[in-house]
Amino acid sequence: MKNELKLPTGFSLRLMQPDDDFFLRSLFNSTRPEFSLLPLPQEQLEQLLRQQYEWQQKSYAAHYPHAECWMIEVNSVLVGKIMLTKLNVGMHIVDFIITPKWRGRSVGRTILGALQSYVDRGDMILSLNVDRQNNRAKQLYQLLGFTLSQSTDTHECLVWSSSDK
């Protein structure tokens, strides 16, 4: 799939490697600022975050056994990750995180735009789940034409297809 995405100069994707684990853990931690408010010693906090990360990875493996985790690079700098799985009707974004330093710099928009073009060529859909509290991400998805498909107490399932343009 990597070669089928049209990314601008400087942007690249590569499959996750075992030595990316430290970066992936820190990326996960960056999305959990509420944990720093817990009255725990640093060692316990780190252990709790490590357990949460491992549980998330096990859950992804169980629910999305064929998903691929792609590392996002801009000018050879590691800036995020996107985990994707193919569906019969298109592509589902399992997880998508940009490092705090690179948020708001059009990295997410660029990757999503390339995925939209990819699924558009095959007349497929692109779907994802977003935390209901993640207003910044939801604004980006809505700006790019994603629409609400389903909703739970904690997440919203958003879908994009070329027929919604």
Side-chain angles (χ1 to χ4, degrees):
M1 185 202 66
K2 176 176 106 170
N3 295 332
E4 299 173 64
L5 288 182
K6 292 181 171 56
L7 294 170
T9 303
F11 280 77
S12 62
L13 295 177
R14 65 170 174 78
L15 281 172
M16 178 189 76
Q17 301 296 316
D19 61 345
D20 291 320
D21 194 57
F22 179 79
F23 174 80
L24 291 170
R25 285 177 191 268
S26 67
L27 200 56
F28 172 85
N29 293 352
S30 77
T31 66
R32 306 300 190 277
E34 67 277 6
F35 279 71
S36 65
L37 302 174
L38 296 173
L40 294 174
Q42 187 63 27
E43 185 177 304
Q44 285 182 329
L45 180 60
E46 289 173 9
Q47 181 180 4
L48 179 61
L49 282 165
R50 188 171 38 256
Q51 288 173 335
Q52 292 289 313
Y53 174 77
E54 290 168 0
W55 288 334
Q56 181 193 61
Q57 299 314 300
K58 287 177 184 174
S59 176
Y60 286 163
H63 290 93
Y64 306 102
H66 302 293
E68 295 179 334
C69 186
W70 295 87
M71 307 307 290
I72 303 167
E73 296 179 335
V74 177
N75 297 321
S76 301
V77 175
L78 202 50
V79 301
K81 76 155 188 178
I82 188 163
M83 183 180 280
L84 302 164
T85 191
K86 291 184 180 178
L87 306 172
N88 290 337
V89 295
M91 184 82 59
H92 181 72
I93 300 171
V94 177
D95 199 10
F96 186 31
I97 309 172
I98 305 300
T99 62
K101 180 180 175 183
W102 283 84
R103 291 177 193 155
R105 296 171 70 178
S106 296
V107 174
R109 179 189 303 252
T110 299
I111 298 299
L112 290 168
L115 285 168
Q116 286 174 315
S117 295
Y118 172 78
V119 299
D120 192 27
R121 287 192 302 273
D123 197 29
M124 301 178 286
I125 66 162
L126 181 61
S127 64
L128 57 87
N129 294 313
V130 61
D131 187 308
R132 291 181 70 120
Q133 304 298 318
N134 193 343
N135 292 323
R136 190 170 177 189
K138 290 189 328 185
Q139 285 176 337
L140 173 62
Y141 300 140
Q142 290 168 352
L143 181 69
L144 293 175
F146 284 80
T147 57
L148 182 64
S149 171
Q150 296 177 352
S151 185
T152 69
D153 290 340
T154 59
H155 288 81
E156 295 177 358
C157 178
L158 304 178
V159 176
W160 181 90
S161 72
S162 58
S163 63
D164 293 337
K165 289 193 238 179

